[in-house]
Amino acid sequence: MGMGKRRKRKKRSLYDQSSMDTILFPLMLAALAKLDNPFCESLLKKCLKKLQLSLLTQTPNSNIPPSFPQKLSNDFLSFLPALLRSKNPEIASRTAEIVGAATLLSLDMNERVVSDAEILKGLVAALSSGSKRISMAACNAVLDVSTTLIGRTRLCDFCVVEKLMSEFLRVVVSPAKSVSLCRTDTRDSISPRIGLTAGKLPILVLYTAVTLINSCNLKNLSKIPRELRKTFLNYLKELWRNVWAQMLLIDIVDCSQGRYYFSNLRTNHLAESIFRLSIDLDQNPIACIFELVKKSMFGPSNSDFEQFMLCYWEDSPCLLRNHLQTSNDHEDIFNPLVQSLNCKGTVDSLLSSILCNLVSCPPICSDEFDILVFLEEVRDKLGCPMIYGQDIRVIKAVEEIYVLKQGSLKKEVHFFKQCMNSFISGPKLIDAVAIQQCKEAHREGYTISLRGMEFRSEYISAIADSLAALFGQPSVGANLYLTPPQSQGLARHYDDHCVFVCQLLGTKKWTVFSRPTVQLPRLYEPLDCILRSEDDCVESKHMQFLLSEGDILYIPRGCPHEACTVTDNSVSTADDGSTGFSLHLTLGVEVEPPFEWEGFAHVALHCWNHNHKRSPDPSSLMGTLNFISVYMLHVAIRLIGDHDPKFRKACMVAAIPLHSLDLNRKMFSYVINKIDRESRYLEVFNRVQAAIGNNEDIWKQMKWIQHLFLLGEMNDEIEWNYSLTEFRDYISYRHMEVEDAFVQLKSKFCRDISFEDACQSFNKVLEKYKKTRKQYMSGMLSLHCT
């Protein structure tokens, strides 16, 4: 036959791996060698473009099937640092885009890129290059890198956050006064997108910085220079004030039109960054006013406070007159708070000045020890308007249909549940419209009740902190009540915490009944909301107090009480309720379970057990018997606390000043002697048996003890989540041995426990509780536009 068929040469794709390694790499290497040559520079740009296209065909969002394995060779990675530092905007920006595309190929590729310190240094250099094009490309690359946990961690470790913050402060031309919020989907109803007029680069840099700040751990945040953090935070807070004004007015556009530039920056992202940057940055301008609080509430001398503790604390109500009424205003602890409110105008203006500046405070567990875990749980709702029921209530007490023998029983009615059908389907947000409705409700006799004021006002937080230190507790809660004339907000009730009622404006009449039982109610235990002893309350001993401005009323926990405003008939009441209304602040000393005397006993047992462990091997017989005996003694302490009122009293070991050190020692001796005499093995065993039969969690009230593990005080092998069935079976199997071990351990504990050692462990627990609470308070205060 004539000429054979000519073999067709297989066309090699520019996008397969062998082509890249054999063609692009030599070309780029040659071009880099002579970058001063225009032809070489042009060749390098073409090679980078080809490389970028080859990567883009492999990204997860690409519609083009990948044509070679998802990786970038080490040869190409070695080029990137030098190219990122190029003065040529096209080369540097294209390289940054290549870095971003490479990190999106796979987790392995992302890890390889971020593990190269020189590439990260090149990205940092590109961020602050001074070129808008390069900076924007570098920001996008950082966002691509941060799509993985290891990427975010490496960027934070490399101080990229600092560079972004500095770059933003450099490129932004003026404070953020022109802001727009944009809604693009249903999620935007709570956290809309933020747009600025500053330009594309500032909003992109800001979004990138916020994204990384919200990925930092506390160690990374603490590395940011203090002055840089304060300057950047001040800008964010100014931006937040403008954002908040629009959120409150629901001033949100449907799309990003006009002169505003939008990124994916949302209001909750901004709120979280402000919160994080404020966690350990003490910005409260109000210094600790501990001595002033003690003097103004209890009297000028230490003996006045001691007298209060001996005669009234957790026992009887008493009226504490304002000891500074005749002093200078700067000595009045509540004067700055009253002055900060618009109290000289109408009630409507007072309500506006209070409500328009308050954001929602998501509840945090008192025993939450990791503030970042809390932020992870609430980040989607952070910075939203107040939520009805959680942050604010609008209520009044009205008479029931039926009448008791000696007086009528009142119930609480909620304004928004009556007027808003939407409240049933979802949370009611207090926006500008709802604020107007609050004003209408107040004119109809409803009380405005605000919770968590220690997280919303610098003045109140300073007072609450000082009062907490005075009583040796982790924190003090604060609520604010605005009640119209001749009205009652809350129905008769009792609290599971002690309350100091501080009358700020107007007058209010209080009726406080004696506690129906000697037992103090415990925090978080169910309250009898209907007060089954209503008849007894009416007939029992009670006291009445008329509080005027500056007065303080103390009400112990467990004492039923109610209050109403009274108006002098000779004084006419204005239509808006400006006359005869009452504004008072309640400071609640909430005694958490660890900080009762029962809690102190649990801490003492745990401390002693750690220091006097007999068997290092928990799997041995002696180790298991010790473990079971400690468990049973914790239960025994709990059983004693259920019927001994002294065990429920607040432990004052950490109180400042230590006014009653001798009393604390006496109380400690009483507690230990009580444990020694009344901790009975058979009683504990029967209690465990009953709990199993009733499917009851006997450890429920003592769950907080597991947090002692986090303090490094107990061995890791101990597991608190011990099965009750296993517990019972083991005790039944080795009944005599367990009983002997329990009796011996109880005797040794009561004989050997040291008050000083127990105090040391107790203070560690207290500081752990206080730390997270303080971080939460600092973060929330920064979000309030007061």
Side-chain angles (χ1 to χ4, degrees), residues 375-388:
L375 283 177
E376 186 70 27
E377 295 173 350
V378 303
R379 66 189 340 164
D380 291 338
K381 299 178 181 178
L382 202 63
C384 75
M386 287 191 297
I387 298 175
Y388 188 80

Side-chain angles (χ1 to χ4, degrees), residues 120-289:
L120 294 182
K121 290 179 182 177
L123 268 182
V124 171
L127 287 171
S128 54
S129 64
S131 166
K132 178 180 178 180
R133 180 176 179 180
I134 297 174
S135 296
M136 292 186 68
C139 282
N140 285 317
V142 168
L143 291 173
D144 291 338
V145 171
S146 64
T147 54
T148 66
L149 176 61
I150 187 172
R152 294 191 295 272
T153 302
R154 286 285 289 171
L155 289 170
C156 292
D157 290 342
F158 247 79
C159 302
V160 176
V161 175
E162 298 176 29
K163 287 295 181 182
L164 287 165
M165 292 166 64
S166 299
E167 179 66 8
F168 175 75
L169 294 174
R170 185 188 69 82
V171 298
V172 70
V173 292
S174 62
K177 294 183 179 178
S178 188
V179 179
S180 178
L181 301 181
C182 172
R183 180 188 291 118
T184 56
D185 54 48
T186 55
R187 186 163 68 94
D188 291 341
S189 60
I190 294 180
S191 299
R193 293 165 61 198
I194 301 174
L196 301 177
T197 57
K200 290 183 179 180
L201 178 59
I203 189 68
L204 179 58
V205 177
L206 177 61
Y207 173 58
T208 309
V210 165
T211 299
L212 280 192
I213 290 171
N214 295 347
S215 302
C216 284
N217 55 35
L218 297 182
K219 183 179 179 181
N220 293 134
L221 290 172
S222 65
K223 288 181 179 178
I224 302 174
R226 187 175 182 83
E227 287 305 313
L228 174 62
R229 188 170 12 158
K230 290 178 66 176
T231 303
F232 188 74
L233 180 59
N234 286 337
Y235 181 90
L236 293 187
K237 291 172 72 173
E238 183 171 354
L239 174 60
W240 176 251
R241 281 190 286 271
N242 290 280
V243 167
W244 176 249
Q246 293 195 35
M247 287 182 65
L248 202 62
L249 296 171
I250 326 177
D251 187 9
I252 303 175
V253 298
D254 292 329
C255 58
S256 54
Q257 298 290 335
R259 58 196 180 98
Y260 294 99
Y261 297 91
F262 289 86
S263 68
N264 287 324
L265 178 64
R266 296 181 181 272
T267 55
N268 64 306
H269 300 156
L270 177 60
E272 184 177 353
S273 283
I274 293 174
F275 190 106
R276 283 172 172 264
L277 291 174
S278 305
I279 282 175
D280 62 349
L281 192 63
D282 188 8
Q283 302 178 93
N284 194 338
I286 304 172
C288 180
I289 54 175

Side-chain angles (χ1 to χ4, degrees), residues 364-385:
I364 181 172
C365 295
S366 62
D367 56 0
E368 177 61 76
F369 289 166
D370 191 335
I371 192 67
L372 297 186
V373 171
F374 162 77
L375 283 177
E376 186 70 27
E377 295 173 350
V378 303
R379 66 189 340 164
D380 291 338
K381 299 178 181 178
L382 202 63
C384 75

Side-chain angles (χ1 to χ4, degrees), residues 591-608 634 637 646-654 664-665 667-669 671-672 675 704-705 708 749 753-763 765:
V591 182
E592 301 283 346
F595 309 108
E596 297 176 348
W597 273 106
E598 180 195 315
F600 188 85
H602 287 299
V603 173
L605 173 57
H606 125 79
C607 168
W608 176 86
H634 275 301
I637 293 171
K646 292 186 177 180
F647 271 57
R648 297 190 178 196
K649 283 186 170 290
C651 178
M652 303 294 289
V653 165
N664 281 325
R665 287 184 178 276
M667 189 64 181
F668 176 72
S669 297
V671 168
I672 296 302
I675 294 171
W704 64 269
I705 299 176
L708 299 176
F749 163 67
I753 183 61
S754 163
F755 177 67
E756 286 72 19
D757 290 344
C759 287
Q760 186 177 7
S761 293
F762 181 83
N763 285 326
V765 177

Side-chain angles (χ1 to χ4, degrees), residues 659-675:
H659 61 280
S660 54
L661 186 58
D662 291 339
L663 291 177
N664 281 325
R665 287 184 178 276
K666 290 179 181 178
M667 189 64 181
F668 176 72
S669 297
Y670 172 86
V671 168
I672 296 302
N673 290 333
K674 192 83 170 180
I675 294 171

Side-chain angles (χ1 to χ4, degrees), residues 377-507:
E377 295 173 350
V378 303
R379 66 189 340 164
D380 291 338
K381 299 178 181 178
L382 202 63
C384 75
M386 287 191 297
I387 298 175
Y388 188 80
Q390 171 187 291
D391 305 291
I392 182 175
R393 292 181 298 165
V394 183
I395 52 179
K396 69 176 177 180
V398 297
E399 292 186 1
E400 284 277 24
I401 298 176
Y402 61 89
V403 178
L404 297 175
K405 297 177 182 178
Q406 300 184 41
S408 59
L409 175 66
K410 292 186 177 182
K411 68 173 184 178
E412 293 170 5
V413 176
H414 290 254
F415 176 80
F416 282 105
K417 280 188 178 180
Q418 285 186 329
C419 301
M420 303 275 178
N421 293 327
S422 60
F423 178 81
I424 301 174
S425 60
K428 171 64 182 174
L429 299 181
I430 306 301
D431 53 25
V433 174
I435 290 176
Q436 286 299 122
Q437 292 170 334
C438 287
K439 297 175 183 178
E440 296 172 7
H442 187 269
R443 287 192 285 269
E444 294 178 17
Y446 285 84
T447 292
I448 311 299
S449 168
L450 292 168
R451 295 173 171 173
M453 289 302 296
E454 73 274 25
F455 307 127
R456 309 173 193 273
S457 165
E458 294 172 346
Y459 303 111
I460 296 176
S461 70
I463 296 171
D465 274 350
S466 300
L467 200 60
L470 190 64
F471 286 95
Q473 300 300 312
S475 60
V476 164
N479 296 343
L480 194 66
Y481 298 87
L482 180 64
T483 304
Q486 295 180 317
S487 178
Q488 179 174 338
L490 299 177
R492 186 181 303 168
H493 67 284
Y494 68 88
D495 297 311
D496 58 9
H497 53 275
C498 293
V499 171
F500 291 92
V501 181
C502 310
Q503 191 69 29
L504 303 180
L505 296 171
T507 60

Side-chain angles (χ1 to χ4, degrees), residues 454-582:
E454 73 274 25
F455 307 127
R456 309 173 193 273
S457 165
E458 294 172 346
Y459 303 111
I460 296 176
S461 70
I463 296 171
D465 274 350
S466 300
L467 200 60
L470 190 64
F471 286 95
Q473 300 300 312
S475 60
V476 164
N479 296 343
L480 194 66
Y481 298 87
L482 180 64
T483 304
Q486 295 180 317
S487 178
Q488 179 174 338
L490 299 177
R492 186 181 303 168
H493 67 284
Y494 68 88
D495 297 311
D496 58 9
H497 53 275
C498 293
V499 171
F500 291 92
V501 181
C502 310
Q503 191 69 29
L504 303 180
L505 296 171
T507 60
K508 204 165 194 180
K509 184 177 71 174
W510 289 78
T511 303
V512 184
F513 298 87
S514 58
R515 191 164 47 234
T517 174
V518 295
Q519 288 283 45
L520 292 168
R522 281 194 169 113
L523 205 62
Y524 312 130
E525 284 186 343
L527 299 178
D528 186 353
C529 299
I530 306 178
L531 285 177
R532 289 172 298 179
S533 57
E534 180 74 20
D535 292 325
D536 296 333
C537 281
V538 173
E539 297 175 353
S540 67
K541 178 183 178 182
H542 65 274
M543 304 173 68
Q544 288 192 331
F545 305 90
L546 183 62
L547 267 62
S548 301
E549 294 178 12
D551 287 342
I552 300 173
L553 173 64
Y554 168 70
I555 305 175
R557 51 178 163 147
C559 289
H561 55 272
E562 60 185 343
C564 62
T565 49
V566 291
T567 303
D568 187 344
N569 294 330
S570 63
V571 180
S572 60
T573 302
D575 293 337
D576 63 355
S578 298
T579 306
F581 75 91
S582 163

